[in-house]
Amino acid sequence: MSDPTERPTAEPEVEEAAKRDEREGTRPDGGHPDATAAVSALDGGTDAEATDSMSQATADAAETEASDGVRDALRHVFVVAVTEYRLAVRSRWALALTGLFVVFGGVIMTFSGSAVGPAGAERVVASLTSLAAYLVPLAALALGYDAIVGREDEGWLAVVFSLPVRRSEVVAGTYLGRGTVLAGATVLGFAFTGALIVREFGIGALSAFLGFLGGAVAVGAAFLSVAILLSTVASEKTHALGASLLVWVWFVLVHDLLALGVVAAVELPDAALSALVLSNPVSAFRVLVLSGLGTTAGGGFTAVLAGSGLSTVSLSLALVAWCVVPLAAAAVLVRRRRL
């Protein structure tokens, strides 16, 4: 017969062991220190993966939003450009400029030298360059001086600015629309003269004429950018028109006369002469065309400029800068304009 006093002693030990096993079984690591480290690493890895997923989703959303913003900006610029182009065509600006370039180009072709061969073609292109240096900047300033202030007087600008569109996008679209009109008129107008040059002097004269045509488009785009800047800062159309005329007189007439006087009085180093050329888009245009024809084609001060030693790349970059910098300044200053 067993002793009943032994059972109370054994049962508490069994119950304590069962409770201990139960506690260890409920722990995720089973009470082992290495398992504890593994569980901690897995928990941390799960958190890191969740964080990476959230970061990737945020980056994708930001990239999508930026892409949509760029597409919207381009669409706004395109719509404004198309509107400006249609308005310019409807007002007969494109037809008037094309006819102007056709007439003056034909006159230059008629009264230029009749020598047959490359020398005759170079003289004609040099004469066209002298004509375009006066005519194209004037046409560009006349086309762009009322781009902003004129639209404000008409009330069109206030309507556009009330829409969800940036003012800089309106400036860029206006420049592209009117620039397309000016470039098309320049190409079509002088293309008539180019056809006469090829007929008279042969296909070999085409390269010189194409160089002139590209330079004429570039100098027109540069002065159109300056005109839009003047239209942005002017408070009235008359002020913008007066400033445009002063700009034309300075760059086309006064700047070259002063530069000629300085060059005649002082022997300037090449760097100073290059600065004189690059500071004037008309001079950069002349040098760009005449350097491809030879320094004797233009004669006079143009021959001095053509001998400045500037490369075609530097002259082209200067004309691009004259297009971009005034337009960027107009895009910044138009935000301060009160309607």
Side-chain angles (χ1 to χ4, degrees):
M1 184 173 180
S2 61
D3 189 1
T5 59
E6 295 179 356
R7 296 182 59 184
T9 305
E11 287 180 358
E13 293 178 358
V14 173
E15 290 178 358
E16 184 178 356
K19 291 180 180 180
R20 184 173 62 251
D21 294 337
E22 182 179 359
R23 287 196 304 268
E24 293 178 355
T26 57
R27 293 178 57 181
D29 56 2
H32 197 279
D34 293 338
T36 304
V39 170
S40 301
L42 288 174
D43 291 339
T46 303
D47 294 339
E49 289 178 358
T51 304
D52 292 341
S53 300
M54 294 176 61
S55 301
Q56 184 64 31
T58 304
D60 292 341
E63 184 178 357
T64 302
E65 184 178 357
S67 178
D68 292 340
V70 172
R71 283 197 296 267
D72 290 340
L74 293 177
R75 182 171 57 85
H76 295 160
V77 171
F78 177 76
V79 170
V80 175
V82 171
T83 303
E84 285 290 339
Y85 177 81
R86 290 177 177 175
L87 291 174
V89 171
R90 189 179 303 172
S91 63
R92 302 294 189 272
W93 259 109
L95 182 61
L97 291 178
T98 302
L100 184 67
F101 294 145
V102 167
V103 170
F104 279 93
V107 170
I108 289 293
M109 184 65 191
T110 301
F111 291 99
S112 295
S114 59
V116 178
E122 288 182 358
R123 280 196 292 269
V124 174
V125 173
S127 300
L128 284 174
T129 303
S130 299
L131 170 69
Y134 291 93
L135 193 60
V136 174
L138 184 61
L141 292 170
L143 183 62
Y145 81 93
D146 64 339
I148 302 299
V149 66
R151 296 290 186 237
E152 180 183 354
D153 292 342
E154 297 170 0
W156 181 82
L157 198 64
V159 175
V160 175
F161 283 172
S162 65
L163 300 175
V165 56
R166 295 185 179 90
R167 296 189 175 191
S168 57
E169 296 169 355
V170 176
V171 172
T174 301
Y175 175 75
L176 290 178
R178 300 197 179 201
T180 302
V181 173
L182 180 62
T186 304
V187 172
L188 293 178
F190 285 114
F192 174 74
T193 307
L196 295 179
I197 291 175
V198 172
R199 180 182 177 183
E200 182 73 20
F201 303 104
I203 195 66
L206 184 60
S207 60
F209 173 77
L210 291 178
F212 153 77
L213 192 61
V217 171
V219 74
F223 274 91
L224 180 62
S225 180
V226 173
I228 290 180
L229 174 60
L230 297 176
S231 182
T232 302
V233 299
S235 58
E236 298 179 4
K237 287 178 63 175
T238 54
H239 296 169
L241 178 59
S244 298
L245 292 177
L246 290 177
V247 166
W248 182 82
V249 170
W250 168 257
F251 283 117
V252 176
L253 300 177
V254 178
H255 182 277
D256 279 356
L257 291 177
L258 291 178
L260 178 60
V262 171
V263 170
V266 181
E267 185 176 356
L268 296 177
D270 292 339
L273 187 59
S274 299
L276 286 176
V277 174
L278 299 179
S279 62
N280 187 350
V282 176
S283 299
F285 161 64
R286 285 174 174 169
V287 175
L288 182 64
V289 177
L290 296 178
S291 60
L293 301 177
T295 57
T296 59
F301 183 56
T302 55
V304 176
L305 293 179
S308 59
L310 289 170
S311 63
T312 302
V313 175
S314 60
L315 293 169
S316 301
L317 291 177
L319 289 175
V320 171
W322 274 104
C323 295
V324 173
V325 173
L327 187 66
V332 172
L333 295 176
V334 74
R335 302 173 185 173
R336 306 176 183 177
R337 191 176 185 88
R338 295 181 179 179
L339 300 179

